[in-house]
Amino acid sequence: MATSPMKTIGAGELRAQNAGETVTLAGWVARRRDHGGVIFIDLRDASGIVQVVLNPDEAPASEEVLHGLRSEYCIQVTGTVRPRPEGTANQELPTGAVELAAHGLVVLSPSAPLPFQIDERVDIDEGLRLQYRYLDMRRTRMAGNLRARSAAIGAMRRVMDRGDFLEVETPTLIASTPEGARDMLVPSRLRPGHFYALPQSPQLFKQLLMIGGVERYYQLAKCYRDEDFRADRQIEFTQLDFEGSFWGQDEVLDVLEQIVVEVVQELRGEEIELPIARISYADAMEKYGTDKPDLRFGMEIVDLSDLFADTEFKAFAGVLGSQGTVRGINGGALGLARSGLDRLVERAQELGARGLVWMIVQEDGSLRSPVAKFLSEREIAAIKGAFDASPGDTLLIVADEAKVVTSVLGQLRLTVGQPEDSDELAFVFVLDFPVFDVNDDGSLSPAHHPFTAPADVDELASNPETAISQSYDLVLNGSELGSGSVRIHDPEIQAKVFEVMNIGAEDARSRFGWFLEALRYGTPPHAGFAIGVDRMVSILRGEPNIREIIPFPKTQTGADPLTGSPGRVEEDQLFQLGIDVRPEVRIGWAEAEEDAGA
Ligand code: ASP
């Protein structure tokens, strides 16, 4: 750590070989213990913790200072480093062999009583942690996460530098870019009634950079998406965004592999073996029921439709007779009691299945199952063969239309499946996404943004439901880390894609006319990707949520308990922006204030 006259070395840097040196430390009082007049302090700074001993006979600090010291006071201590007395070394601390015998102590800044203890072992309400984030980050967990985030970004930059990528900042006050979410809007004072959008990603700007002859671009880009806080999302997050010209998919995946290797090495000291596994979207859906498969365990979905073609079991026969399918997973030795099995059936129903059939393979090879009596010997043998089942295994089977079956089994797989080694990292590229997702009502919505190149333009026009795009995701342990694609570089194809996507020619011209115009000037073929930095770091750190990685995140309702954003603004500001807040919204404000007793 860089030093100054106020602080000559980091507290966490002291080791046995520093014994005898006189040093000045500065940091915070993490713990203070009074042992019959001699005071022990754990002094913490950004580099770690060291024990400081204040013996009133040796330290000239006033009694008042010594006894007035409280947790989290910011202090400066000068003293001599010495080995700890025989038998008192602390193996858990890197500085545990030494202590600082203080001769002088200055309180740089006292601390108000704390809203919570700065202690890893104490469970603190997240709202309070966010309100006092600056105190929360004095705790080891957050301090470590901030360092890991910085180290990950450093590793990413090294890969970008090695590849001669140019770092370019793109604006954050822009016209809307479609990434599939709602835009965050910023009103313009100079053009009242007009709005900027905050970028959902730098997508179109990075494509303009390719048109502009920047052949390799990257940026650590802030992106904004006004989404409901489903799952683990934030309105504001950071992507490593990159793009290359004269590139196809292979070049993008190659850079991604280098990033994965470098970041994992940096954060976990582990070697990731290349190449990273690849699976097509179609295979991922078929085998794992999801486009972000967790490959830390197998448990693939098995199609049993042929096996049950002539079954006497009415439920399966009925589904198969109406174009449905029967599939299942071998959950392994789950050892569930009846109540546990019933819960799985309920779960399958919640997920949209009409039912779930379970079968447990007995020691004698027979099947225990509510439907066993409807199954022939031949079917039982074939089921066990299809699942490669051994005694003790629990087989879970769903019959319905294919979309329901794969989705339900995919989620049940995650409910019952356990990675053997919870530290394992299973990266996989999912390739060849469809151009469109088919919604439940049969309508189509773009699976990626509309600048993604289709694999075959004619196919897109004739069979939009099944057309494949040149797009790919990077998945880690069942979470999507990011996505990218080969882009359209021909303005005519771009116009055609807009058309198929139901963005009319007029609409496309008014929203993206400037971009269609740019595509006309010798656009190079190009491709790229964006990785969610916070998500990648959160998984590598074993954190359950990206809020643990983002220095100042928002809550589930998009609020910041620290600064109180989003907040109301002065009437005058609204007036200047030409904005009038609707009366019913104002009534809502008044009611909320009354509820809060204001
Ligand atoms: N802009 C895309 C996204 O944010 C990534 C990409 O296609 O490069 O998901």
Side-chain angles (χ1 to χ4, degrees):
M1 177 175 287
T3 57
S4 72
M6 210 184 279
K7 168 171 182 165
T8 60
I9 190 167
E13 292 173 305
L14 295 178
R15 298 287 182 276
Q17 58 267 30
N18 298 103
E21 289 174 19
T22 296
V23 299
T24 301
L25 304 181
W28 291 265
V29 177
R31 237 149 57 98
R32 172 187 174 284
R33 299 175 304 277
D34 205 332
H35 282 193
V38 178
I39 293 171
F40 291 85
I41 293 173
D42 285 347
L43 182 79
R44 174 189 358 92
D45 70 6
S47 65
I49 285 188
V50 74
Q51 171 164 290
V52 175
V53 187
L54 286 149
N55 189 333
D57 299 338
E58 296 163 12
S62 72
E63 284 283 304
E64 204 180 20
V65 168
L66 285 186
H67 295 286
L69 280 183
R70 294 281 172 268
S71 288
E72 299 307 313
Y73 271 36
C74 182
I75 61 173
Q76 182 191 42
V77 192
T78 300
T80 309
V81 183
R82 69 182 181 205
R84 289 205 198 184
E86 203 55 41
T88 63
N90 180 348
Q91 308 294 345
E92 315 262 288
L93 271 189
T95 62
V98 293
E99 60 189 15
L100 186 76
H103 354 111
L105 182 147
V106 179
V107 172
L108 299 173
S109 200
S111 168
L114 297 165
F116 52 80
Q117 248 177 298
I118 313 291
D119 185 337
E120 276 335 286
R121 289 157 298 189
V122 184
D123 220 3
I124 303 156
D125 170 67
E126 200 189 1
L128 201 60
R129 285 179 56 205
L130 293 185
Q131 186 182 347
Y132 293 95
R133 190 58 145 187
Y134 46 88
L135 295 179
D136 189 33
M137 31 173 98
R138 291 187 192 169
R139 300 164 80 219
T140 317
R141 176 185 187 180
M142 277 310 298
N145 286 349
L146 289 188
R147 270 199 298 277
R149 191 177 192 280
S150 169
I153 287 174
M156 290 172 177
R157 283 190 191 283
R158 284 200 294 279
V159 175
M160 295 289 108
D161 285 346
R162 275 206 306 265
D164 282 332
F165 287 77
L166 196 69
E167 181 171 7
V168 184
E169 274 184 277
T170 55
T172 53
L173 293 174
I174 64 167
S176 157
T177 335
E179 293 281 357
R182 225 174 276 124
D183 284 321
M184 305 286 300
L185 297 176
V186 179
S188 158
R189 182 182 57 82
L190 297 175
R191 286 182 73 188
H194 291 70
F195 293 82
Y196 301 99
L198 298 177
Q200 293 189 33
S201 87
Q203 185 61 38
L204 290 182
F205 284 98
K206 66 175 168 175
Q207 292 193 241
L208 291 182
L209 291 171
M210 297 303 108
I211 299 171
V214 173
E215 294 185 25
R216 301 276 178 279
Y217 141 90
Y218 88 98
Q219 174 179 202
L220 282 145
K222 267 295 179 81
C223 303
Y224 305 85
R225 296 185 189 174
D226 188 4
E227 294 181 299
D228 292 330
F229 276 41
R230 283 170 289 122
D232 187 14
R233 299 270 175 98
Q234 285 277 306
I235 332 184
E236 184 181 354
F237 58 94
T238 306
Q239 287 183 342
L240 170 69
D241 192 45
F242 66 90
E243 194 80 9
S245 288
F246 312 110
W247 266 13
Q249 168 176 300
D250 287 349
E251 289 72 26
V252 176
L253 301 193
D254 178 57
V255 172
L256 283 166
E257 287 186 331
Q258 296 178 46
I259 291 171
V260 164
V261 165
E262 194 91 11
V263 172
V264 171
Q265 181 64 45
E266 178 72 40
L267 295 198
R268 319 235 310 195
E270 287 168 27
E271 202 83 45
I272 290 288
E273 250 179 65
L274 296 183
I276 287 175
R278 291 163 198 215
I279 184 171
S280 71
Y281 168 87
D283 280 353
M285 294 306 286
E286 188 88 4
K287 290 185 181 160
Y288 306 104
T290 171
D291 60 1
K292 32 180 183 292
D294 187 342
L295 297 189
R296 287 175 297 172
F297 54 96
M299 213 183 274
E300 286 180 17
I301 297 173
V302 178
D303 195 335
L304 308 165
S305 304
D306 287 348
L307 189 163
F308 286 115
D310 312 310
T311 189
E312 302 281 302
F313 180 41
K314 293 238 169 44
F316 286 179
V319 166
L320 289 171
S322 53
Q323 311 292 315
T325 178
V326 181
R327 298 182 198 179
I329 51 176
N330 181 351
L334 296 181
L336 290 176
R338 187 58 198 243
S339 57
L341 292 163
D342 289 345
R343 266 202 299 282
L344 276 184
V345 175
E346 278 164 30
R347 170 101 180 107
Q349 285 164 341
E350 280 161 25
L351 292 169
R354 268 175 284 183
L356 170 74
V357 170
W358 53 262
M359 300 177 179
I360 298 173
V361 185
Q362 306 294 98
E363 278 306 324
D364 64 4
S366 64
L367 291 179
R368 178 161 80 84
S369 169
V371 310
K373 55 181 173 294
F374 303 113
L375 304 175
S376 67
E377 283 302 318
R378 188 194 61 79
E379 280 169 337
I380 292 176
I383 292 168
K384 288 191 295 182
F387 283 116
D388 194 16
S390 325
D393 284 353
T394 302
L395 315 176
L396 303 171
I397 301 175
V398 177
D400 212 311
E401 57 175 292
K403 198 172 164 178
V404 174
V405 171
T406 46
S407 143
V408 171
L409 287 173
Q411 293 177 79
L412 285 180
R413 179 179 172 272
L414 295 179
T415 309
V416 300
Q418 288 294 340
E420 255 169 54
D421 167 7
S422 60
D423 273 344
E424 188 185 336
L425 299 175
F427 286 94
V428 56
F429 288 126
V430 181
L431 310 176
D432 305 330
F433 275 74
V435 177
F436 291 108
D437 288 329
V438 182
N439 302 319
D440 288 341
D441 63 359
S443 64
L444 302 178
S445 52
H448 216 73
H449 53 67
F451 311 100
T452 299
D456 178 335
V457 189
D458 296 331
E459 172 81 11
L460 174 69
S462 55
N463 280 323
E465 300 85 12
T466 51
I468 301 291
S469 67
Q470 300 186 55
S471 62
Y472 30 81
D473 278 5
L474 174 62
V475 170
L476 168 58
N477 294 358
S479 289
E480 180 199 320
L481 293 188
S483 55
S485 57
V486 175
R487 323 300 184 184
I488 298 167
H489 65 277
D490 174 337
E492 276 176 30
I493 295 181
Q494 184 65 72
K496 201 158 178 181
V497 167
F498 281 146
E499 193 184 302
V500 182
M501 292 197 165
N502 248 335
I503 304 177
E506 206 29 64
D507 191 16
R509 239 193 318 279
S510 76
R511 287 166 67 194
F512 311 116
W514 54 274
F515 183 68
L516 290 173
E517 170 70 6
L519 282 179
R520 294 173 55 233
Y521 297 92
T523 301
H526 57 289
F529 202 87
I531 303 186
V533 171
D534 306 297
R535 165 116 334 110
M536 183 169 193
V537 177
S538 78
I539 299 174
L540 293 178
R541 294 280 293 173
E543 285 289 6
N545 196 296
I546 57 170
R547 292 194 298 278
E548 299 299 341
I549 302 302
I550 297 178
F552 298 101
K554 308 273 188 291
T555 62
Q556 288 290 322
T557 53
D560 173 10
L562 200 170
T563 63
S565 77
R568 302 224 293 262
V569 298
E570 299 293 331
E571 286 298 326
D572 183 44
Q573 279 173 289
L574 290 177
F575 181 79
Q576 289 189 33
L577 294 167
I579 291 178
D580 206 358
V581 176
R582 287 207 311 266
E584 65 268 28
V585 174
R586 287 185 187 270
I587 292 169
W589 288 352
E591 282 168 359
E593 259 158 32
E594 221 163 87
D595 285 350

